[in-house]
Amino acid sequence: MTTKKTDLLTKEILMAGKNATIEIEILEPQGTVIIRPLTASEINLVELKKIEGSGKQTISYDQARAGMINLDLYDTTKKSFASDVMAVSMALVDPKLSEGDVKNLPQMAFKQIVSEIYRVSGVTKLSQDNIATFREEPGRS
């Protein structure tokens, strides 16, 4: 069995992807914006923002096994929004917006931009759905 050899990627080729920009169409208000993929480091910062302070509760093995993990939904939702705001602020190329500006975007535009940023950054819909499902499971409060 012969395996096809591929060309060895250079550092320049690998790093070039982080500067790629993508124009996306926003439905409401209608128009376009330019985004870029988040880097691995930026995705890590966004993910850390989502869970910041969440690991302070001690959970017994039996509680975890029974799915009886208590979450503060207010705090979880607040952190999720803050991490999405951070992602948009970092990945939106044109127009460039501060986190304060991003917080005041119309909801429909905000959700569409967030979704596209995560898609082009390799954060899959499946992982986002798993997080949402986890938060909605019975016994989680």
Coordinates of all heavy atoms in Angstrom, one line a residue, residues 5-106:
K5 N 2.5 11.2 -0.5 CA 3.3 12.2 0.3 C 2.8 13.5 -0.1 O 2.5 13.8 -1.2 CB 4.8 12.1 -0.1 CG 5.6 11.3 0.9 CD 7.0 11.5 0.6 CE 7.8 11.0 1.8 NZ 9.2 11.2 1.7
T6 N 2.6 14.4 0.9 CA 2.2 15.7 0.7 C 3.4 16.7 1.0 O 4.3 16.3 1.7 CB 1.0 16.1 1.5 OG1 1.3 15.9 2.9 CG2 -0.2 15.3 1.2
D7 N 3.3 17.8 0.5 CA 4.4 18.8 0.7 C 4.4 19.2 2.1 O 3.3 19.4 2.8 CB 4.2 20.0 -0.2 CG 4.3 19.7 -1.7 OD1 5.1 18.8 -2.0 OD2 3.7 20.4 -2.5
L8 N 5.6 19.4 2.7 CA 5.8 19.9 4.0 C 5.4 21.4 4.1 O 5.9 22.2 3.3 CB 7.2 19.7 4.4 CG 7.6 20.0 5.9 CD1 6.8 19.1 6.8 CD2 9.1 19.8 6.1
L9 N 4.5 21.7 5.0 CA 4.1 23.1 5.1 C 5.2 23.9 5.8 O 5.8 23.4 6.8 CB 2.8 23.2 6.0 CG 1.6 22.6 5.3 CD1 0.4 22.6 6.3 CD2 1.2 23.3 4.0
T10 N 5.4 25.1 5.4 CA 6.3 26.0 6.0 C 5.6 26.8 7.1 O 4.4 26.9 7.2 CB 6.9 27.0 5.0 OG1 5.8 27.8 4.5 CG2 7.6 26.3 3.8
K11 N 6.4 27.4 8.0 CA 5.8 28.3 9.0 C 5.0 29.4 8.4 O 3.9 29.7 8.9 CB 6.9 28.9 9.9 CG 6.5 29.8 10.9 CD 7.6 30.3 11.7 CE 7.1 31.3 12.8 NZ 8.2 31.9 13.6
E12 N 5.5 30.0 7.3 CA 4.8 31.1 6.7 C 3.4 30.6 6.2 O 2.4 31.4 6.3 CB 5.6 31.7 5.5 CG 6.9 32.4 6.0 CD 8.0 31.5 6.4 OE1 8.0 30.3 6.0 OE2 8.8 31.9 7.2
I13 N 3.3 29.4 5.6 CA 2.0 28.9 5.1 C 1.1 28.7 6.2 O -0.1 29.0 6.2 CB 2.3 27.7 4.2 CG1 3.0 28.0 2.9 CG2 0.9 27.0 3.9 CD1 3.4 26.8 2.1
L14 N 1.6 28.0 7.3 CA 0.7 27.8 8.4 C 0.2 29.0 9.1 O -1.0 29.1 9.4 CB 1.5 27.0 9.5 CG 1.6 25.5 9.2 CD1 2.6 24.8 10.2 CD2 0.3 24.8 9.3
M15 N 1.0 30.0 9.2 CA 0.7 31.3 9.9 C -0.2 32.2 9.0 O -0.9 33.0 9.5 CB 1.9 32.0 10.4 CG 2.8 31.2 11.4 SD 1.9 30.7 12.8 CE 1.8 32.2 13.8
A16 N -0.2 32.0 7.7 CA -0.9 32.9 6.8 C -2.4 32.8 7.0 O -3.1 33.8 6.9 CB -0.6 32.5 5.4
G17 N -2.9 31.6 7.5 CA -4.3 31.5 7.7 C -4.9 32.4 8.7 O -6.1 32.8 8.7
K18 N -4.1 32.8 9.7 CA -4.6 33.7 10.7 C -4.9 35.1 10.2 O -5.6 35.9 10.9 CB -3.6 33.8 11.9 CG -2.4 34.6 11.7 CD -1.5 34.6 13.0 CE -0.4 35.6 12.8 NZ 0.2 36.0 14.0
N19 N -4.4 35.5 9.1 CA -4.6 36.8 8.5 C -5.7 36.8 7.4 O -6.0 37.8 6.8 CB -3.3 37.4 7.9 CG -2.3 37.6 9.0 OD1 -2.6 38.0 10.1 ND2 -1.0 37.2 8.7
A20 N -6.3 35.6 7.2 CA -7.3 35.5 6.2 C -8.6 36.3 6.6 O -8.9 36.3 7.8 CB -7.7 34.1 6.0
T21 N -9.2 37.0 5.7 CA -10.4 37.7 6.1 C -11.6 37.2 5.2 O -11.4 36.7 4.1 CB -10.3 39.2 5.9 OG1 -9.9 39.5 4.5 CG2 -9.2 39.8 6.8
I22 N -12.7 37.3 5.8 CA -13.9 36.8 5.1 C -15.0 37.8 5.2 O -15.3 38.4 6.3 CB -14.4 35.5 5.8 CG1 -13.4 34.4 5.7 CG2 -15.7 35.0 5.2 CD1 -12.8 34.0 7.0
E23 N -15.6 38.1 4.1 CA -16.7 39.1 4.1 C -18.0 38.3 4.3 O -18.3 37.3 3.6 CB -16.8 39.8 2.8 CG -17.8 41.0 2.8 CD -17.7 41.8 1.5 OE1 -16.6 42.3 1.2 OE2 -18.7 42.0 0.8
I24 N -18.8 38.7 5.3 CA -20.1 38.0 5.5 C -21.2 39.0 5.4 O -21.1 40.2 5.7 CB -20.1 37.3 6.9 CG1 -20.0 38.3 8.1 CG2 -19.1 36.2 7.0 CD1 -20.3 37.7 9.4
E25 N -22.3 38.5 5.0 CA -23.5 39.3 4.8 C -24.4 39.3 6.0 O -24.7 38.2 6.5 CB -24.3 38.9 3.6 CG -25.4 39.8 3.2 CD -26.1 39.5 1.9 OE1 -25.5 38.8 1.1 OE2 -27.3 39.9 1.8
I26 N -24.8 40.4 6.5 CA -25.6 40.5 7.7 C -27.0 40.8 7.2 O -27.2 41.7 6.3 CB -25.1 41.6 8.7 CG1 -23.7 41.4 9.1 CG2 -26.1 41.8 9.8 CD1 -23.5 40.1 9.8
L27 N -28.0 40.1 7.7 CA -29.4 40.2 7.2 C -30.1 41.4 7.8 O -30.9 42.1 7.2 CB -30.2 39.0 7.6 CG -29.6 37.7 6.9 CD1 -30.4 36.5 7.4 CD2 -29.6 37.8 5.4
E28 N -29.8 41.7 9.1 CA -30.5 42.8 9.8 C -29.6 43.5 10.8 O -29.2 42.9 11.8 CB -31.7 42.3 10.5 CG -32.7 43.3 11.1 CD -33.4 44.2 10.1 OE1 -33.8 43.7 9.0 OE2 -33.5 45.4 10.4
P29 N -29.1 44.7 10.5 CA -29.4 45.5 9.4 C -28.6 45.0 8.2 O -27.6 44.4 8.3 CB -28.8 46.9 9.8 CG -27.8 46.6 10.8 CD -28.2 45.4 11.5
Q30 N -29.2 45.1 7.0 CA -28.6 44.5 5.8 C -27.3 45.2 5.4 O -27.2 46.4 5.4 CB -29.6 44.6 4.6 CG -29.2 43.7 3.5 CD -30.3 43.6 2.5 OE1 -31.3 44.3 2.5 NE2 -30.2 42.7 1.5
G31 N -26.3 44.4 5.1 CA -25.0 44.9 4.7 C -23.9 43.8 5.0 O -24.3 42.7 5.2
T32 N -22.7 44.2 4.9 CA -21.6 43.2 5.1 C -20.6 43.7 6.1 O -20.5 44.9 6.3 CB -20.8 43.0 3.7 OG1 -20.3 44.2 3.3 CG2 -21.7 42.3 2.7
V33 N -19.9 42.8 6.7 CA -18.8 43.1 7.6 C -17.7 42.1 7.2 O -17.9 41.1 6.6 CB -19.2 42.9 9.1 CG1 -20.3 43.9 9.5 CG2 -19.6 41.5 9.4
I34 N -16.5 42.4 7.7 CA -15.3 41.6 7.4 C -14.8 41.0 8.8 O -14.6 41.7 9.7 CB -14.2 42.3 6.7 CG1 -14.7 42.9 5.4 CG2 -13.0 41.5 6.5 CD1 -13.8 43.8 4.7
I35 N -14.7 39.7 8.8 CA -14.2 39.0 10.0 C -13.0 38.2 9.6 O -12.6 38.0 8.4 CB -15.3 38.0 10.6 CG1 -15.7 36.9 9.6 CG2 -16.5 38.8 11.0 CD1 -16.5 35.8 10.1
R36 N -12.3 37.7 10.6 CA -11.2 36.8 10.4 C -11.3 35.6 11.4 O -12.0 35.8 12.4 CB -9.8 37.5 10.7 CG -9.6 38.0 12.1 CD -8.2 38.5 12.4 NE -8.1 38.9 13.7 CZ -7.9 38.1 14.8 NH1 -7.8 36.8 14.6 NH2 -7.8 38.7 16.0
P37 N -10.7 34.5 11.1 CA -10.7 33.4 12.1 C -9.9 33.8 13.4 O -9.0 34.6 13.3 CB -10.0 32.3 11.4 CG -9.7 32.7 10.0 CD -9.9 34.2 9.9
L38 N -10.4 33.3 14.5 CA -9.7 33.5 15.7 C -8.5 32.5 15.7 O -8.5 31.4 15.2 CB -10.5 33.1 16.9 CG -11.7 34.1 17.2 CD1 -12.7 33.5 18.2 CD2 -11.3 35.5 17.6
T39 N -7.4 32.9 16.4 CA -6.2 32.1 16.5 C -6.5 31.1 17.6 O -7.4 31.2 18.4 CB -4.9 32.9 16.8 OG1 -5.1 33.5 18.1 CG2 -4.7 33.9 15.8
A40 N -5.6 30.0 17.7 CA -5.8 29.1 18.8 C -5.7 29.7 20.2 O -6.5 29.4 21.1 CB -4.7 28.0 18.7
S41 N -4.8 30.7 20.3 CA -4.7 31.4 21.6 C -5.9 32.2 21.9 O -6.4 32.2 23.1 CB -3.5 32.3 21.5 OG -3.4 33.1 22.7
E42 N -6.5 32.9 20.9 CA -7.7 33.6 21.1 C -8.9 32.8 21.5 O -9.7 33.1 22.3 CB -8.0 34.5 19.9 CG -7.1 35.6 19.7 CD -7.2 36.3 18.3 OE1 -7.6 35.6 17.3 OE2 -6.8 37.5 18.2
I43 N -9.0 31.6 20.8 CA -10.1 30.7 21.1 C -10.0 30.2 22.6 O -11.0 30.1 23.3 CB -10.1 29.5 20.1 CG1 -10.6 30.0 18.8 CG2 -11.0 28.4 20.6 CD1 -10.5 29.0 17.7
N44 N -8.8 29.9 23.0 CA -8.5 29.5 24.3 C -9.0 30.6 25.3 O -9.6 30.3 26.3 CB -7.0 29.2 24.5 CG -6.7 28.6 25.9 OD1 -7.4 27.7 26.3 ND2 -5.8 29.2 26.6
L45 N -8.6 31.9 25.0 CA -9.1 33.0 25.9 C -10.6 33.1 26.0 O -11.1 33.3 27.1 CB -8.5 34.3 25.4 CG -7.0 34.5 25.6 CD1 -6.6 35.8 24.9 CD2 -6.7 34.6 27.1
V46 N -11.2 32.9 24.8 CA -12.7 33.0 24.8 C -13.3 31.8 25.6 O -14.2 32.0 26.4 CB -13.2 32.9 23.3 CG1 -14.7 32.7 23.3 CG2 -12.9 34.2 22.6
E47 N -12.8 30.6 25.5 CA -13.3 29.5 26.2 C -13.0 29.6 27.7 O -13.9 29.3 28.5 CB -12.6 28.2 25.7 CG -13.1 27.8 24.3 CD -12.4 26.6 23.7 OE1 -11.4 26.1 24.3 OE2 -12.9 26.2 22.6
L48 N -11.9 30.2 28.1 CA -11.6 30.4 29.5 C -12.5 31.4 30.1 O -13.0 31.3 31.2 CB -10.1 30.9 29.7 CG -9.1 29.8 29.5 CD1 -7.7 30.4 29.6 CD2 -9.2 28.7 30.5
K49 N -12.9 32.4 29.3 CA -13.8 33.5 29.8 C -15.2 32.8 30.1 O -15.9 33.2 31.0 CB -14.0 34.5 28.7 CG -14.8 35.7 29.1 CD -14.0 36.8 29.6 CE -14.7 38.1 29.7 NZ -13.9 39.0 30.5
K50 N -15.6 31.8 29.2 CA -16.9 31.2 29.4 C -16.9 30.4 30.8 O -18.0 30.3 31.4 CB -17.1 30.2 28.3 CG -17.7 30.8 27.1 CD -18.1 29.7 26.1 CE -18.2 30.2 24.7 NZ -19.4 30.5 24.2
I51 N -15.8 29.8 31.2 CA -15.8 29.0 32.4 C -15.2 29.6 33.6 O -15.1 29.0 34.6 CB -15.2 27.6 32.1 CG1 -13.7 27.8 31.7 CG2 -15.9 26.8 31.0 CD1 -12.9 26.5 31.7
E52 N -14.7 30.8 33.4 CA -14.0 31.6 34.5 C -14.8 31.5 35.8 O -16.0 31.9 35.9 CB -13.9 33.0 34.1 CG -13.1 33.9 35.0 CD -13.0 35.3 34.4 OE1 -14.0 36.0 34.2 OE2 -11.9 35.7 34.1
G53 N -14.2 30.9 36.8 CA -14.8 30.9 38.2 C -15.8 29.7 38.3 O -16.4 29.6 39.4
S54 N -16.0 28.9 37.3 CA -17.0 27.9 37.4 C -16.5 26.6 38.2 O -17.4 25.8 38.6 CB -17.5 27.4 36.0 OG -18.0 28.5 35.3
G55 N -15.3 26.5 38.3 CA -14.7 25.3 39.0 C -14.5 25.4 40.5 O -13.8 24.5 41.0
K56 N -15.2 26.3 41.1 CA -14.9 26.5 42.5 C -15.8 25.6 43.4 O -15.6 25.5 44.6 CB -15.1 28.0 42.9 CG -14.1 28.9 42.2 CD -14.3 30.3 42.6 CE -13.3 31.2 41.9 NZ -13.5 32.6 42.1
Q57 N -16.8 25.0 42.8 CA -17.7 24.2 43.6 C -17.2 22.7 43.6 O -16.8 22.2 42.6 CB -19.1 24.2 43.0 CG -20.1 23.4 43.8 CD -21.5 23.4 43.1 OE1 -21.6 23.9 42.0 NE2 -22.5 22.9 43.8
T58 N -17.2 22.1 44.8 CA -16.8 20.8 45.0 C -18.0 19.9 44.8 O -19.0 20.1 45.3 CB -16.2 20.5 46.4 OG1 -15.1 21.4 46.6 CG2 -15.7 19.1 46.6
I59 N -17.8 18.9 43.9 CA -18.9 17.9 43.6 C -18.4 16.5 43.9 O -17.3 16.1 43.5 CB -19.2 18.1 42.1 CG1 -19.6 19.5 41.7 CG2 -20.3 17.1 41.7 CD1 -19.6 19.8 40.2
S60 N -19.3 15.8 44.6 CA -18.9 14.4 44.9 C -19.1 13.6 43.7 O -19.7 13.9 42.7 CB -19.9 13.9 46.0 OG -21.2 13.6 45.5
Y61 N -18.4 12.4 43.7 CA -18.5 11.5 42.6 C -20.0 11.1 42.3 O -20.4 11.0 41.2 CB -17.7 10.2 42.9 CG -17.8 9.1 41.9 CD1 -17.2 9.2 40.7 CD2 -18.6 8.0 42.2 CE1 -17.3 8.2 39.7 CE2 -18.8 7.0 41.2 CZ -18.1 7.1 40.0 OH -18.3 6.1 39.1
D62 N -20.7 10.8 43.4 CA -22.1 10.4 43.3 C -23.0 11.5 42.6 O -23.8 11.2 41.8 CB -22.7 10.0 44.6 CG -22.1 8.7 45.2 OD1 -21.7 7.9 44.3 OD2 -22.1 8.5 46.4
Q63 N -22.7 12.8 43.0 CA -23.5 13.9 42.4 C -23.2 14.0 40.9 O -24.1 14.1 40.1 CB -23.1 15.2 43.1 CG -23.7 15.4 44.5 CD -23.1 16.6 45.1 OE1 -21.9 16.9 45.1 NE2 -24.0 17.4 45.7
A64 N -21.9 13.9 40.6 CA -21.5 14.0 39.2 C -22.1 12.8 38.4 O -22.6 13.0 37.3 CB -20.0 14.0 39.0
R65 N -22.0 11.6 38.9 CA -22.5 10.4 38.3 C -24.1 10.5 38.0 O -24.6 10.1 37.0 CB -22.2 9.2 39.1 CG -22.4 7.9 38.4 CD -21.6 6.8 39.1 NE -21.8 5.6 38.3 CZ -22.3 4.5 38.7 NH1 -22.6 4.4 40.0 NH2 -22.4 3.5 38.0
A66 N -24.7 11.1 39.0 CA -26.2 11.3 38.9 C -26.6 12.5 38.1 O -27.8 12.7 37.9 CB -26.8 11.3 40.3
G67 N -25.6 13.2 37.6 CA -25.9 14.4 36.8 C -26.5 15.6 37.7 O -27.2 16.4 37.2
M68 N -26.1 15.6 38.9 CA -26.6 16.6 39.8 C -25.6 17.6 40.1 O -25.1 17.8 41.2 CB -27.1 15.9 41.1 CG -28.2 15.0 40.9 SD -28.9 14.3 42.5 CE -29.6 15.7 43.2
I69 N -25.2 18.4 39.1 CA -24.2 19.4 39.2 C -25.0 20.7 39.2 O -25.8 21.0 38.3 CB -23.2 19.3 38.0 CG1 -22.5 18.0 38.0 CG2 -22.3 20.5 38.1 CD1 -21.7 17.7 36.8
N70 N -24.8 21.5 40.1 CA -25.5 22.8 40.2 C -24.7 23.9 39.5 O -23.5 24.1 39.7 CB -25.6 23.3 41.7 CG -26.6 22.4 42.4 OD1 -27.6 21.9 41.9 ND2 -26.3 22.1 43.7
L71 N -25.4 24.6 38.6 CA -24.8 25.7 37.9 C -25.6 26.9 38.1 O -26.8 26.8 38.2 CB -24.8 25.4 36.4 CG -23.9 24.3 35.9 CD1 -24.0 24.1 34.4 CD2 -22.4 24.6 36.2
D72 N -25.0 28.0 38.2 CA -25.7 29.3 38.3 C -25.9 29.7 36.9 O -25.0 30.2 36.2 CB -24.8 30.3 39.1 CG -25.4 31.6 39.3 OD1 -26.3 32.0 38.5 OD2 -24.9 32.4 40.1
L73 N -27.2 29.6 36.5 CA -27.5 29.9 35.1 C -27.3 31.4 34.8 O -27.0 31.7 33.6 CB -29.0 29.5 34.7 CG -29.2 28.0 34.6 CD1 -30.6 27.7 34.3 CD2 -28.3 27.4 33.6
Y74 N -27.6 32.2 35.7 CA -27.4 33.7 35.5 C -25.9 33.9 35.2 O -25.6 34.6 34.2 CB -27.9 34.5 36.8 CG -27.5 35.9 36.7 CD1 -28.3 36.8 36.0 CD2 -26.4 36.4 37.3 CE1 -27.9 38.2 35.9 CE2 -26.0 37.7 37.3 CZ -26.8 38.6 36.5 OH -26.5 39.9 36.5
D75 N -25.1 33.4 36.1 CA -23.6 33.6 35.9 C -23.1 32.9 34.6 O -22.3 33.5 33.9 CB -22.9 33.0 37.1 CG -21.5 33.4 37.2 OD1 -21.2 34.6 37.0 OD2 -20.6 32.6 37.5
T76 N -23.6 31.7 34.3 CA -23.2 31.0 33.1 C -23.6 31.8 31.9 O -22.8 31.9 31.0 CB -23.8 29.6 33.1 OG1 -23.4 28.9 34.3 CG2 -23.4 28.8 31.9
T77 N -24.8 32.3 31.9 CA -25.3 33.1 30.7 C -24.5 34.4 30.6 O -24.1 34.8 29.4 CB -26.8 33.4 30.8 OG1 -27.5 32.1 31.0 CG2 -27.3 34.1 29.7
K78 N -24.2 35.0 31.7 CA -23.5 36.3 31.7 C -22.1 36.0 31.1 O -21.6 36.8 30.3 CB -23.4 36.8 33.1 CG -22.8 38.1 33.3 CD -23.0 38.5 34.7 CE -22.0 39.6 35.1 NZ -22.1 40.0 36.5
K79 N -21.4 34.9 31.5 CA -20.1 34.6 31.1 C -20.1 34.2 29.6 O -19.1 34.5 28.8 CB -19.5 33.5 31.9 CG -19.1 34.0 33.3 CD -18.6 32.9 34.2 CE -18.4 33.3 35.6 NZ -18.0 32.3 36.5
S80 N -21.1 33.5 29.2 CA -21.2 33.1 27.8 C -21.3 34.3 26.9 O -20.6 34.4 25.8 CB -22.4 32.2 27.6 OG -22.5 31.7 26.3
F81 N -22.1 35.3 27.3 CA -22.3 36.5 26.5 C -21.0 37.3 26.5 O -20.5 37.7 25.4 CB -23.4 37.4 27.1 CG -23.6 38.7 26.4 CD1 -24.1 38.8 25.1 CD2 -23.2 39.9 27.1 CE1 -24.2 40.0 24.5 CE2 -23.4 41.1 26.4 CZ -23.8 41.2 25.1
A82 N -20.3 37.4 27.6 CA -19.0 38.1 27.7 C -18.0 37.5 26.8 O -17.2 38.2 26.1 CB -18.5 38.2 29.1
S83 N -18.0 36.1 26.7 CA -17.0 35.5 25.9 C -17.3 35.7 24.4 O -16.4 35.8 23.6 CB -16.9 34.0 26.2 OG -18.1 33.3 25.9
D84 N -18.6 35.7 24.1 CA -19.0 35.9 22.7 C -18.7 37.4 22.3 O -18.2 37.6 21.1 CB -20.5 35.7 22.5 CG -20.9 34.2 22.5 OD1 -20.0 33.4 22.4 OD2 -22.1 33.9 22.6
V85 N -18.9 38.3 23.2 CA -18.5 39.7 22.9 C -17.0 39.8 22.7 O -16.6 40.5 21.7 CB -18.9 40.6 24.1 CG1 -18.3 42.0 24.0 CG2 -20.5 40.7 24.2
M86 N -16.2 39.1 23.5 CA -14.8 39.1 23.3 C -14.4 38.6 22.0 O -13.5 39.2 21.3 CB -14.1 38.3 24.4 CG -12.6 38.1 24.3 SD -11.9 36.9 25.4 CE -11.7 37.9 26.9
A87 N -15.0 37.5 21.5 CA -14.7 36.9 20.2 C -15.0 37.8 19.1 O -14.2 38.0 18.2 CB -15.5 35.6 20.1
V88 N -16.2 38.5 19.2 CA -16.5 39.4 18.1 C -15.6 40.6 18.1 O -15.1 41.0 17.0 CB -18.0 39.9 18.3 CG1 -18.3 41.1 17.3 CG2 -19.0 38.8 18.1
S89 N -15.2 41.1 19.2 CA -14.3 42.3 19.3 C -12.9 41.9 18.7 O -12.3 42.7 18.0 CB -14.1 42.7 20.7 OG -13.2 43.8 20.8
M90 N -12.5 40.7 18.9 CA -11.2 40.3 18.4 C -11.2 39.9 16.9 O -10.3 40.2 16.2 CB -10.7 39.0 19.2 CG -10.2 39.3 20.6 SD -9.4 37.9 21.4 CE -10.7 36.8 21.6
A91 N -12.3 39.3 16.4 CA -12.4 38.8 15.1 C -13.0 39.8 14.0 O -12.8 39.5 12.8 CB -13.1 37.5 15.0
L92 N -13.7 40.8 14.5 CA -14.3 41.7 13.5 C -13.3 42.7 13.0 O -12.7 43.4 13.8 CB -15.5 42.5 14.2 CG -16.4 43.2 13.3 CD1 -17.1 42.3 12.3 CD2 -17.5 43.9 14.2
V93 N -13.0 42.6 11.7 CA -11.9 43.4 11.1 C -12.4 44.8 10.7 O -11.8 45.8 10.9 CB -11.3 42.6 9.9 CG1 -10.3 43.5 9.2 CG2 -10.6 41.3 10.4
D94 N -13.6 44.7 10.0 CA -14.2 46.0 9.5 C -15.7 45.9 9.5 O -16.3 45.1 8.9 CB -13.7 46.3 8.1 CG -14.0 47.7 7.6 OD1 -14.3 48.5 8.4 OD2 -13.9 47.9 6.4
P95 N -16.3 46.7 10.4 CA -15.8 47.8 11.2 C -15.1 47.2 12.5 O -15.6 46.1 13.0 CB -17.0 48.6 11.6 CG -18.1 47.6 11.6 CD -17.8 46.6 10.5
K96 N -14.1 47.8 12.9 CA -13.4 47.4 14.2 C -14.3 48.0 15.3 O -14.5 49.2 15.4 CB -12.0 47.9 14.2 CG -11.2 47.4 15.4 CD -10.9 46.0 15.2 CE -10.1 45.4 16.4 NZ -10.3 44.0 16.6
L97 N -14.7 47.1 16.3 CA -15.5 47.6 17.4 C -14.9 47.2 18.7 O -14.3 46.1 18.8 CB -16.9 46.9 17.3 CG -17.8 47.2 16.0 CD1 -19.1 46.5 16.1 CD2 -18.0 48.7 15.9
S98 N -15.1 48.0 19.7 CA -14.7 47.7 21.1 C -15.7 46.7 21.7 O -16.8 46.5 21.1 CB -14.6 49.0 21.9 OG -15.9 49.5 22.1
E99 N -15.3 46.1 22.8 CA -16.3 45.2 23.5 C -17.6 46.0 23.9 O -18.7 45.5 23.8 CB -15.6 44.6 24.7 CG -14.6 43.5 24.3 CD -14.1 42.7 25.5 OE1 -14.7 42.7 26.6 OE2 -13.1 42.0 25.3
G100 N -17.4 47.3 24.3 CA -18.6 48.1 24.6 C -19.5 48.3 23.4 O -20.7 48.2 23.5
D101 N -18.9 48.5 22.2 CA -19.7 48.7 21.0 C -20.4 47.3 20.7 O -21.6 47.4 20.3 CB -18.8 49.0 19.8 CG -18.1 50.4 19.9 OD1 -18.7 51.3 20.5 OD2 -17.0 50.5 19.3
V102 N -19.7 46.2 20.8 CA -20.2 44.9 20.4 C -21.5 44.6 21.3 O -22.5 44.1 20.8 CB -19.2 43.8 20.6 CG1 -19.8 42.4 20.4 CG2 -18.0 44.0 19.6
K103 N -21.4 45.0 22.6 CA -22.5 44.7 23.5 C -23.8 45.5 23.1 O -24.9 45.0 23.4 CB -22.1 45.2 24.9 CG -21.1 44.3 25.6 CD -20.8 44.9 27.0 CE -19.7 44.1 27.7 NZ -19.3 44.7 29.0
N104 N -23.6 46.5 22.3 CA -24.8 47.3 21.9 C -25.2 47.0 20.5 O -26.1 47.7 19.9 CB -24.5 48.8 22.1 CG -24.4 49.2 23.5 OD1 -25.3 48.9 24.3 ND2 -23.3 49.7 23.9
L105 N -24.7 46.0 19.8 CA -25.2 45.6 18.5 C -26.6 45.0 18.6 O -27.0 44.5 19.6 CB -24.3 44.5 17.9 CG -22.9 44.8 17.4 CD1 -22.1 43.6 17.1 CD2 -23.0 45.8 16.2
P106 N -27.4 45.2 17.5 CA -28.7 44.5 17.5 C -28.5 43.0 17.7 O -27.5 42.4 17.1 CB -29.2 44.8 16.1 CG -28.4 46.0 15.6 CD -27.1 45.9 16.3

